Amino acid sequence: MDPKKKTVGFAPDNDASSDIPSPGSSNNSSAATSPVSAFSNTPDLDHNSNSNSRSVGSSSSSTAPKSIKSSGARSSYEPMKSSYEEQWGLADRVSQKAHKMASPREGGQFPKEGGKKEGKQGGKTSGLGIQASGSVTSGGSDGPHSAGPNSAGSQSGAAAAGQKGGAQKPPTAPSQKSMTKAERRELQEKQKAEKAARLASGLPASGKKAAQVLAQPNSGFSPNPSKSLATSFPGAEAEKAMAGGGESTNQTKRREKLTKEIGLFAHLDPPKFANTASAPKDLHPAVVNVGLQMAQFKICGANARCVATMSAFRKAIQDYQTPPNTTLSRHMQTYLNPHISYLVTCRPMAVSMGNAIRYLKYEIGKNLDLPDEDARALFLEKIDNFIRDRITMADQVITSLGLQKIQDGDVILTYARSSVVQGLLLAAHAKGIKFKVIVVDSRPRFEGKQLLRALATAGVPCTYVLLTAIGHVMREVNKVILGAHSLLSNGALYSRAGTAVVAMSAHERKIPVIVCCETYKFSDRVQLDSFVQNEIGNPDELVNDANNNFGHSSTRWQESVRGGLSSTTNGATGAAGVLSGWKESRDLKLLNLLYDLTPSEFVTVVITEVGLIPCTSVPVILREFLPMMQQ
Amino acid sequence: MSKGTNDLVDDLVAKLKRRQLVGSSTVAQATLKLLIVVISKNNWSKPNELLNLVKSVGQKLIEANPTELAVGNIVRRVLHVIREEYREAEAEKDANLNEFQPAPLTTSSSMYNLLGETGSASKDNVHYPSSLRSNIIQEIREIKDDLENIYDQIKNQASLHIHSNEIIMTIGRSKTVEEFLKMAASKRKFQVLVAESAPSYSGQEMALELSKAGIETTVIPDSAVFAVMSRVNKVILGTHAVLANGGLIAISGSHMMASAAKHHSIPVVVCTGLYKLSPLYPYDEDSFNVSMNPDSILGFEEGDLIEKVTVTNPYYDYVSPTLVDLFLTNQGGHPPSYLYRLIIENYDPNDQTFDLSTMAETLPKKQRA
């Protein structure tokens, strides 16, 4: 059968694992061998439909051994979770220790327990046993995350559990294949309802945490022994209530701890560490992929993120199959919503993404009555047009407008890296204008290095300094060109942290500050300071490497290599820097703020695709001009 | 100059040149120690002899590292003390010789100093009492004691300037600020935000020290300075040197922090010992700056890039006096506009420029090296 066809609303598990490079990729082969069970027995299904699965019961014993393998992708996230907690020091240290010590034992004991329970509970536990066994196939071999200290022991335990579970009792997890369409729909609806309930009850919206909640008692190495006891409760509801309650107190504890860490910014979301586990199951792999890359800052920058998101949605719409009893355009919104909320769980939504998604939703809502294929074609076209008109073409127009402002002999200062500014500077160089660029950069991401490399390779004379030297270099500058994350309705520029300092220094010396910003990044939000809305980055990025005293190149090299990888490994594996013990210190905190707000008075002009405007004209453009353009 | 002292001078010169001695405080103490030895171990009888001796040693030290302004400050301070002692001795003698004439103006009058110095040349043949040498040494030792107690004198003002629940921002590591905040922490509860000051990252050390003292400390990257400035109550800076106009030579990043504070109308307080107060004037903002190894900004592993781009790593920032609200010195709090007065009190006008000519010569030389 064709897997693509079957994916519809349910998780295309095999697709997901093949598209996503990181954890779970080794699952690929096993999934490929059993495409049927790959999406017929998805973990979420197991968790969320416990009662259901019991009723459907031992319908398809033959598919079970295959599903052992395939479901592994999800359950192998368990060790990931524990390493996540270690990295962040979120979990109580004591309990963590207990966890470590207990896990092998627990894992070892579990099979018996599982076997016993199976006798009592039948379908449900056997399904769970199968799930735990999944980590055998995939958990050990792949992903940097799964190399947690307890993964080995727990895996063997889980393996045993799985094998026993598989061998002793015929697995009874429901196969979707065996269900009727109506049943499947019902199941889906149920999942959705449960997700909503989860959200409402203050549980994490992310599927990952929820998966923890539900998987912990089952997978055999939960940190809390009492939770594994919960498995012996007959009622799925009771179990869930208990696990849920435990988790939510856990959650508040965590929250408290994090709040303490962040201080002034307690109202902002703590930095997120999405992994494939956090992806709810019925997401399109392209979106999951983009979400992960954004979470790891591999896709970074307002434009890049927006384009990536829209392209992923395009793929999702392309592969979308209308469920029965509805039309594509009517169901599309409900289909996209979990994707969108998943992206938010990966990293707070960029303004550019928000605007693009709003536009897409608007188009969907406008064309509810189109036949499916027409609607699909229309939406795909709208996405293409959006990217073309609002981003690609807009950048070209901005470049051509900006070229008029760059003259021979100019010394242009820019901060960090903006794709538009980079394009503009390269275009100016290609045009033969003789100018010099000063790239100002700052910790922790050093994004300006990318720009520097691009410019230097093209042959533009460049100077590279860190932000602290801004006062030193500003004297020779005669133009400052900046990129933007967003322009707010009060004219404030919301951009990479540090932009405000640069703009202020230029303003102080009466140097014009030019901001390049496409109009789709304009926001109707207003903001007066950098506190109310902002994003917190991983504080571990601020922990320096061994030789923080004028940082030796060798250690910095390590850092840059590591920085390219998942940023969370930075502090954990880095040579001891000055701040490496910050988590142990009660009074020491690190704040890694990603954005700041530049008051409109610092910005001389904004170059947009609709012309050069003062930044206070943002609301005018939003109100008058854009509706006109959309006509 | 005797052989022994010469060796000592050469030793200190070498240390300064190699930057084995850095930091205003250590440099100032080393200079003072050396000058005491030079003055006590050498033969001199006339004021000019002594002054020239001290000047020649001072000149060597300053040339060794012209950016350590504290060296020059200490030399000038010693010269000032010597002149004062001579003046006192002369005044006493004059009073003895001519009892009808009242003693001339007090020595603290700057106008008198200006005139008195020109007149003193004619008094070369005057015989000075033998106690003069010990008096001078005594005075210099007092300066030394002052120097050692400077942190105490500054930090004792802490509770006058920090109130409860305040949010203080600082940048880089300054011993003076550290002591100041620790003292304040013993009486008040407040938070400190420390900017790291890349690429030296000395702010991280500062944060670590403060947190060890039980102060709630948050490290912020330099980029977040403007973003969080609006919630800060006070910016407290340390400095490498204070110039005659009240401007600072402080760790790089100080300027942006002070400007951000100015934009938000947040007071900027500078904690400094008076030994950092230099009578020199910054005719160019870069006069006293040092360019450090750019390796910490763009390492050699990025060799392909390095050959194409310029990388600058200035160690200091010039902060103009308009950005500073208050100087907290060992003599109390002063506005920047008052500094000229302190300079006149501490240094003799004749000495203010004694090495400026050599400065002009040595600066380019240093840059070449």
Side-chain angles (χ1 to χ4, degrees):
Chain A
M1 65 180 285
D2 179 10
K4 277 265 154 65
K5 282 260 161 76
K6 194 70 185 163
T7 55
V8 190
F10 297 104
D13 216 0
N14 49 346
D15 278 0
S17 51
S18 61
D19 263 12
I20 296 156
S22 51
S25 55
S26 73
N27 182 40
N28 200 3
S29 55
S30 60
T33 57
S34 59
V36 178
S37 50
F39 42 79
S40 71
N41 189 11
T42 50
D44 221 32
L45 202 66
D46 282 345
H47 303 317
N48 290 348
S49 57
N50 277 335
S51 52
N52 195 334
S53 63
R54 228 187 308 159
S55 64
V56 182
S58 50
S59 54
S60 60
S61 57
S62 61
T63 58
K66 285 182 205 159
S67 62
I68 288 176
K69 286 181 196 162
S70 58
S71 61
R74 306 284 168 183
S75 39
S76 66
Y77 303 136
E78 247 349 77
M80 206 134 105
K81 182 221 79 197
S82 57
S83 65
Y84 160 85
E85 284 188 339
E86 268 159 41
Q87 269 160 1
W88 281 86
L90 299 179
D92 190 2
R93 239 166 268 288
V94 184
S95 79
Q96 217 172 51
K97 251 181 222 160
H99 176 188
K100 270 181 209 166
M101 284 165 57
S103 56
R105 242 186 309 130
E106 255 182 77
Q109 286 167 350
F110 184 73
K112 286 179 223 151
E113 207 183 315
K116 254 189 279 166
K117 263 185 289 155
E118 267 175 69
K120 289 179 204 156
Q121 299 189 352
K124 178 191 147 209
T125 21
S126 74
L128 297 167
I130 288 160
Q131 222 215 309
S133 74
S135 53
V136 186
T137 55
S138 61
S141 55
D142 62 14
H145 298 282
S146 61
N150 41 17
S151 58
S154 54
Q155 267 164 28
S156 61
Q163 277 156 11
K164 284 204 179 183
Q168 287 178 356
K169 277 273 168 181
T172 47
S175 155
Q176 274 179 349
K177 204 171 108 190
S178 65
M179 287 193 243
T180 64
K181 262 191 175 175
E183 272 176 330
R184 251 175 273 161
R185 262 214 78 65
E186 188 187 307
L187 202 59
Q188 209 179 2
E189 290 304 326
K190 197 166 217 154
Q191 285 169 19
K192 251 178 230 152
E194 260 163 353
K195 193 178 283 164
R198 233 190 289 133
L199 275 169
S201 65
L203 271 171
S206 87
K208 186 195 76 172
K209 296 237 181 82
Q212 275 170 29
V213 173
L214 296 157
Q216 263 173 5
N218 310 330
S219 46
F221 46 89
S222 85
N224 187 353
S226 74
K227 272 188 194 165
S228 59
L229 282 179
T231 40
S232 60
F233 283 107
E237 285 309 306
E239 171 195 321
K240 216 170 69 168
M242 184 157 172
E247 183 69 16
S248 66
T249 52
N250 216 352
Q251 185 73 4
T252 50
K253 221 200 268 169
R254 246 180 235 177
R255 185 78 201 196
E256 263 171 38
K257 179 94 185 200
L258 274 177
T259 305
K260 188 177 164 295
E261 307 286 61
I262 293 162
L264 263 171
F265 293 85
H267 61 287
L268 296 178
D269 283 341
K272 292 166 176 170
F273 298 90
N275 45 49
T276 37
S278 66
K281 90 160 356 358
D282 34 0
L283 294 189
H284 193 277
V287 179
V288 176
N289 201 354
V290 166
L292 287 174
Q293 289 185 327
M294 280 198 285
Q296 295 170 350
F297 286 83
K298 281 177 183 164
I299 297 179
C300 195
N303 279 347
R305 283 171 76 190
C306 183
V307 172
T309 309
M310 293 311 268
S311 312
F313 282 168
R314 192 184 190 284
K315 276 185 205 140
I317 295 175
Q318 225 163 15
D319 296 344
Y320 171 83
Q321 291 248 317
T322 318
N325 305 329
T326 180
T327 64
L328 184 138
S329 39
R330 282 188 192 280
H331 186 250
M332 186 48 76
Q333 197 130 338
T334 35
Y335 173 65
L336 286 181
N337 279 341
H339 290 87
I340 295 164
S341 52
Y342 169 70
L343 289 180
V344 175
T345 62
C346 289
R347 208 188 140 185
M349 184 98 75
V351 174
S352 56
M353 285 161 64
N355 285 344
I357 289 169
R358 203 169 307 136
Y359 169 76
L360 182 61
K361 281 184 169 176
Y362 166 76
E363 287 298 337
I364 291 171
K366 221 169 60 175
N367 300 296
L368 285 182
D369 299 327
L370 277 182
D372 275 17
E373 282 316 307
D374 290 359
R376 192 199 304 273
L378 178 75
F379 297 156
L380 295 182
E381 193 198 329
K382 288 286 180 191
I383 291 178
D384 289 341
N385 287 354
F386 185 89
I387 295 176
R388 190 194 64 202
D389 294 347
R390 307 299 300 276
I391 305 177
T392 320
M393 293 304 291
D395 282 355
Q396 286 175 19
V397 176
I398 290 173
T399 303
S400 66
L401 289 174
L403 280 177
Q404 302 165 6
K405 295 291 157 203
I406 301 180
Q407 280 123 31
D408 277 343
D410 271 356
V411 178
I412 292 164
L413 184 140
T414 183
Y415 178 68
R417 177 183 175 269
S418 151
S419 53
V420 198
V421 173
Q422 180 176 323
L424 172 58
L425 294 175
L426 288 176
H429 180 68
K431 201 182 158 195
I433 303 172
K434 299 262 175 293
F435 64 102
K436 197 184 138 188
V437 178
I438 298 177
V439 180
V440 182
D441 210 350
S442 87
R443 291 243 296 158
R445 301 218 144 265
F446 294 117
E447 288 163 310
K449 266 186 195 167
Q450 265 184 65
L451 173 66
L452 181 73
R453 185 159 283 123
L455 293 177
T457 314
V460 183
C462 293
T463 301
Y464 183 74
V465 294
L466 293 186
L467 189 58
T468 43
I470 188 83
H472 180 80
V473 294
M474 197 50 97
R475 255 169 300 157
E476 51 176 324
V477 173
N478 64 355
K479 251 159 231 161
V480 174
I481 301 184
L482 299 170
H485 178 89
S486 172
L487 268 178
L488 309 186
S489 263
N490 57 343
L493 167 68
Y494 184 75
S495 193
R496 179 62 71 231
T499 307
V501 170
V502 173
M504 176 192 66
S505 302
H507 179 75
E508 216 173 41
R509 291 178 183 271
K510 312 277 187 281
I511 297 164
V513 177
I514 301 166
V515 173
C516 296
C517 182
E518 302 85 348
T519 53
Y520 87 102
K521 289 182 188 164
F522 287 8
S523 167
D524 50 7
R525 215 168 73 195
V526 289
Q527 204 172 319
L528 291 172
D529 57 28
S530 312
F531 289 80
V532 283
Q533 293 215 351
N534 210 321
E535 195 180 332
I536 304 283
N538 178 0
D540 272 326
E541 286 175 354
L542 295 186
V543 177
N544 235 1
D545 30 21
N547 217 326
N548 101 320
N549 197 16
F550 311 120
H552 272 235
S553 39
S554 55
T555 50
R556 234 170 335 88
W557 178 76
Q558 281 176 0
E559 192 193 41
S560 62
V561 166
R562 260 181 286 117
L565 301 173
S566 162
S567 51
T568 52
T569 58
N570 239 352
T573 55
V578 177
L579 297 176
S580 51
W582 72 280
K583 280 171 203 153
E584 278 73 41
S585 172
R586 189 172 51 96
D587 293 305
L588 191 58
K589 301 166 184 176
L590 303 185
L591 172 67
N592 183 6
L593 210 56
L594 290 189
Y595 294 102
D596 69 8
L597 197 78
T598 309
S600 60
E601 62 190 275
F602 293 162
V603 179
T604 318
V605 71
V606 182
I607 303 182
T608 71
E609 70 264 29
V610 297
L612 277 69
I613 56 169
C615 58
T616 43
S617 295
V618 170
V620 182
I621 298 284
L622 281 179
R623 248 187 68 157
E624 313 282 341
F625 207 78
L626 291 187
M628 231 162 66
M629 271 175 45
Q630 274 171 13
Q631 295 304 303
Chain B
M1 222 183 322
S2 71
K3 179 88 174 62
T5 54
N6 230 342
D7 287 351
L8 284 176
V9 173
D10 288 346
D11 184 47
L12 185 56
V13 164
K15 277 183 179 168
L16 284 171
K17 269 189 181 161
R18 296 177 196 142
R19 291 186 197 282
Q20 285 170 325
L21 274 186
V22 284
S24 300
S25 172
T26 43
V27 165
Q29 291 194 11
T31 311
L32 202 51
K33 222 158 103 191
L34 179 72
L35 287 180
I36 292 174
V37 175
V38 166
I39 292 168
S40 52
K41 291 276 169 69
N42 280 296
N43 284 328
W44 46 268
S45 53
K46 289 177 186 152
N48 275 347
E49 260 176 75
L50 180 57
L51 290 177
N52 285 334
L53 177 70
V54 172
K55 272 185 186 179
S56 70
V57 171
Q59 208 144 334
K60 273 186 197 166
L61 295 179
I62 288 164
E63 278 173 26
N65 190 349
T67 54
E68 289 290 357
L69 296 178
V71 175
N73 297 345
I74 291 296
V75 174
R76 287 189 191 90
R77 189 94 182 80
V78 169
L79 287 174
H80 181 64
V81 164
I82 295 169
R83 285 183 209 270
E84 292 272 294
E85 283 303 315
Y86 270 113
R87 230 168 258 143
E88 237 167 69
E90 278 162 14
E92 240 167 63
K93 198 163 282 176
D94 283 349
N96 287 345
L97 285 176
N98 201 344
E99 300 208 351
F100 317 105
Q101 273 182 351
L105 303 166
T106 56
T107 49
S108 62
S109 159
S110 55
M111 185 64 88
Y112 172 76
N113 290 353
L114 281 170
L115 297 170
E117 188 56 38
T118 51
S120 73
S122 61
K123 292 177 187 166
D124 269 356
N125 51 357
V126 179
H127 185 74
Y128 293 99
S130 55
S131 66
L132 193 62
R133 180 184 288 255
S134 62
N135 279 353
I136 289 174
I137 300 281
Q138 183 63 33
E139 282 290 318
I140 296 175
R141 279 192 201 285
E142 263 174 41
I143 301 177
K144 192 161 177 265
D145 290 344
D146 256 12
L147 212 54
E148 278 155 11
N149 295 329
I150 245 165
Y151 293 134
D152 292 334
Q153 289 166 346
I154 295 175
K155 75 183 185 186
N156 285 337
Q157 308 168 41
S159 55
L160 293 174
H161 295 281
I162 293 180
H163 62 73
S164 308
N165 266 337
E166 216 169 2
I167 300 180
I168 307 271
M169 189 187 272
T170 183
I171 186 168
R173 186 172 190 184
S174 153
K175 182 92 176 125
T176 321
V177 175
E178 191 183 314
E179 294 283 332
F180 185 83
L181 291 176
K182 279 181 181 170
M183 185 65 175
S186 64
K187 290 178 183 156
R188 309 260 197 273
K189 194 171 156 38
F190 57 93
Q191 269 188 58
V192 181
L193 301 171
V194 187
E196 326 174 283
S197 183
S200 72
Y201 304 118
S202 57
Q204 297 187 345
E205 294 161 37
M206 175 85 160
L208 197 65
E209 289 303 315
L210 292 178
S211 71
K212 278 181 191 159
I215 304 172
E216 197 182 333
T217 314
T218 308
V219 178
I220 56 170
D222 307 310
S223 53
V225 163
F226 190 92
V228 295
M229 186 58 86
S230 57
R231 296 297 177 276
V232 170
N233 297 82
K234 249 177 219 101
V235 172
I236 299 186
L237 297 177
T239 183
H240 173 67
V242 182
L243 301 175
N245 62 345
L248 307 179
I249 302 293
I251 189 162
S252 65
S254 302
H255 177 263
M256 70 168 191
M257 185 174 280
S259 323
K262 181 89 178 171
H263 174 76
H264 290 97
S265 302
I266 284 151
V268 175
V269 179
V270 176
C271 286
T272 172
L274 273 185
Y275 69 92
K276 289 182 184 173
L277 178 61
S278 168
L280 302 180
Y281 187 87
Y283 294 102
D284 174 31
E285 291 181 11
D286 277 343
S287 328
F288 306 105
N289 213 335
V290 187
S291 262
M292 299 302 283
N293 179 3
D295 173 49
S296 53
I297 293 179
L298 205 64
F300 288 112
E301 66 273 11
E302 317 209 34
D304 56 324
L305 201 52
I306 278 189
E307 57 183 23
K308 292 179 199 141
V309 304
T310 315
V311 181
T312 321
N313 182 8
Y315 192 72
Y316 296 120
D317 242 354
Y318 172 74
V319 182
S320 81
T322 52
L323 299 176
V324 180
D325 292 270
L326 188 67
F327 284 96
L328 287 183
T329 71
N330 40 325
Q331 290 187 8
H334 316 288
S337 54
Y338 184 72
L339 289 186
Y340 82 98
R341 188 66 222 170
L342 292 175
I343 287 173
I344 290 171
E345 267 169 30
N346 283 289
Y347 307 114
D348 196 283
N350 284 294
D351 300 330
Q352 287 186 8
T353 53
F354 85 90
D355 55 359
L356 255 188
S357 54
T358 55
M359 283 288 291
E361 283 165 24
T362 54
L363 205 62
K365 213 193 310 180
K366 282 294 332 166
Q367 279 171 350
R368 267 204 306 278

